[in-house]
Amino acid sequence: MSFKAAAIQMCSGVDPVKNAADMTRLVRDAASKGAIYVQTPEMTGAVQKDRPGLRAVLRDEPNDIIVKTASELAKELGIHLHIGSTAIALDDGKIANRGFLFGPDGKLINRYDKIHMFDVDLDNGESWRESAVYRPGSEARIASLPFAELGFSICYDVRFPQLFRAQAVAGAEVMTVPAAFTKQTGEAHWEILLRARAIENGMFVIAAAQAGKHEDGRETFGHSMIIDPWGKVLASAGGTGEAVVIAEIDIAAVKSAHDKIPNLKNAREFSLEKIATPAAGGVAA
């Protein structure tokens, strides 16, 4: 089965109300071009590195404007709308970096909390400690949609191939990677990682990204893209500003890739032993 998919590229600011309006405009554009699955980037609702500022605009899930708007939009347009993620206030004072998938009836099909926290120190002086603010998820899920088996990840998750492999083995045909990659890491690794995850698992990858200079001062890499199971980039955006990236997804290509390179079937269990080298002048046992 084939279907048209869209990755929405945004440059979200600090105001969830404005971001919801921008999202609505871009999703409408994607639907008008025939997309029946539409994905938005990580942190669609607010890109805000100031923690008090972020907490000031946070809401719990039932009262979040992005969640409400997405449910209404999906129903109005008759599409599957995937909010890559938005920040959700939790009862314990932490925040969830949570993705949502809504069906054409506006009902929630799946939620996914980002599992791997971006705790890094980069060469350019950027330092990030997501674990200080966000509560990591612990569950991977696959949504069985009428047109594809859809797997979930968010941004930094792409660096953990075991998450993708587990979902591929369980039958995922399309993996989603909504993101807000930093400019430095994006230039070095974004496309390489996405294509690698597609190739090694024989699956489509759809990655909607944040792009450009944001109100909070950070800069994200953009280059939203859709990749086929052979690693070919079907469609992509530039590195700044909004974009609607659309491609035709032919699910038959997944089986074709698995038939050509059946590495999922050929995988074998193995043991691992670390061999100690003898000290200088010693004799190995």
Side-chain angles (χ1 to χ4, degrees), residues 241-280:
E242 297 177 343
V244 176
V245 176
I246 294 182
E248 191 75 23
I249 305 296
D250 181 3
I251 290 299
V254 174
K255 183 179 184 304
S256 175
H258 290 170
D259 287 344
K260 292 173 185 174
I261 309 290
N263 61 320
L264 299 184
K265 290 181 179 180
N266 292 345
R268 292 175 55 84
E269 296 295 326
F270 55 88
S271 62
L272 174 63
E273 183 179 1
K274 187 173 181 180
I275 307 299
T277 57

Side-chain angles (χ1 to χ4, degrees), residues 90-117:
L90 301 175
D91 293 339
D92 61 2
K94 287 271 192 174
I95 302 170
N97 188 346
R98 181 169 293 170
F100 298 89
L101 176 64
F102 295 94
D105 57 1
K107 293 181 179 178
L108 181 66
I109 294 174
N110 183 49
R111 60 173 62 82
Y112 169 75
D113 287 358
K114 184 177 182 179
I115 293 174
H116 300 98
M117 298 289 95

